[in-house]
Amino acid sequence: MQKELSWDELRNKLKTAKLKQSKYSSKYALTELLICGECGTACRRCRWTSHNRNRTVWRCIKRLEHGPKYCKSPTIDEQPLHNAIVRAINEFYNCGDDVAKVLKSAAETVLSGTIGNEISQIEQRLKDIDQARNDFVSLIATGACASDSLDDEFARLYSEEEKLSRKLLSLKAQGEAEQNEIIDNIKTDIDNASFELEEYDDVLVRKVVECEKL
């Protein structure tokens, strides 16, 4: 027959149990969070052998230390507990659609900027060529320079202008098509991606709880 403890003895044992609990708190997030629904005492993770099978379970410290006379709470298997927590986190942070929108927008911005920069550089160079040609015409018009002395320069500018114009048309046609294809592929990958927590993680659970406490 189990000896009935006095309140002083029980308090001392509970104090000892809390000190033991602190050894686990840095490793298992639930040590700090899982509270017995029967008596309000914290629960502890432990290995339990039942029917020749080892199981990882969580048990009320009061029941674990003093038996069912002081608490009749059930023993909780760890895996179903972890599964329930993962489902709860995924339901609470159900923001997959918002994440997908942000990623799609970022992909479009980055790719558009890459191709757009090259097009802008070509367009600026074409403007520079046009300005240089106008400057040469002004020199000729004012008599500062003979027209035949600038023939080579006009030919060089014309040749460069032709090449850049062809490249610009190619970029705007083929480049836009390639860009759209890449963006479509990225969007498809994003649509098929999962933004949910797939398995329990002690570090992540601890961070989620800390975040909600702020």
Side-chain angles (χ1 to χ4, degrees):
M1 182 175 179
Q2 187 178 9
K3 178 185 176 181
E4 185 172 348
L5 299 174
S6 68
W7 281 110
D8 287 338
E9 291 173 323
L10 180 58
R11 279 196 295 268
N12 288 334
K13 282 186 173 292
L14 287 176
K15 183 178 180 180
T16 301
K18 288 182 179 179
L19 290 175
K20 290 180 180 179
Q21 174 191 351
S22 64
K23 294 189 300 182
Y24 305 89
S25 61
S26 61
K27 186 174 182 181
Y28 304 110
L30 295 182
T31 303
E32 305 168 352
L33 305 176
L34 198 61
I35 304 299
C36 174
E38 295 289 331
C39 68
T41 303
C43 294
R44 180 189 299 165
R45 185 182 191 268
C46 54
R47 297 290 291 174
W48 192 24
T49 302
S50 176
H51 304 294
N52 296 321
R53 184 169 66 91
N54 287 325
R55 298 157 54 195
T56 302
V57 299
W58 286 82
R59 305 189 71 187
C60 168
I61 292 178
K62 183 184 289 188
R63 173 161 183 165
L64 191 63
E65 297 288 340
H66 309 297
K69 179 177 180 180
Y70 294 94
C71 181
K72 300 183 182 299
S73 60
T75 298
I76 304 173
D77 283 288
E78 185 173 72
Q79 192 56 53
L81 176 62
H82 283 181
N83 293 341
I85 291 172
V86 169
R87 287 196 301 271
I89 291 176
N90 286 335
E91 289 175 3
F92 187 79
Y93 292 100
N94 185 18
C95 56
D97 290 342
D98 294 333
V99 174
K101 289 178 182 178
V102 171
L103 292 177
K104 289 176 182 179
S105 177
E108 290 178 345
T109 300
V110 171
L111 290 173
S112 297
T114 301
I115 296 176
N117 285 340
E118 189 172 2
I119 289 176
S120 297
Q121 290 172 4
I122 293 176
E123 290 177 336
Q124 182 59 50
R125 180 53 187 162
L126 289 173
K127 290 180 180 178
D128 292 341
I129 290 173
D130 188 57
Q131 182 61 51
R133 187 165 41 228
N134 291 336
D135 291 341
F136 289 157
V137 171
S138 297
L139 288 175
I140 295 171
T142 58
C145 188
S147 60
D148 56 355
S149 66
L150 295 176
D151 287 346
D152 290 342
E153 289 298 325
F154 275 113
R156 185 184 63 79
L157 291 176
Y158 178 78
S159 177
E160 184 181 359
E161 185 179 45
E162 285 289 299
K163 291 178 181 179
L164 289 176
S165 296
R166 287 195 298 269
K167 187 174 182 180
L168 183 61
L169 289 175
S170 177
L171 277 176
K172 287 185 174 180
Q174 297 177 6
E176 183 176 353
E178 291 175 2
Q179 173 184 310
N180 290 336
E181 182 179 359
I182 294 173
I183 290 176
D184 288 342
N185 289 336
I186 291 175
K187 287 182 177 180
T188 299
D189 291 339
I190 292 173
D191 288 336
N192 293 331
S194 173
F195 297 99
E196 292 188 344
L197 179 65
E198 295 182 355
E199 60 182 20
Y200 179 89
D201 182 272
D202 269 299
V203 175
L204 180 59
V205 169
R206 193 186 302 277
K207 289 185 178 298
V208 169
V209 173
E210 288 175 355
C211 178
E212 293 307 313
K213 285 181 179 179
L214 295 178

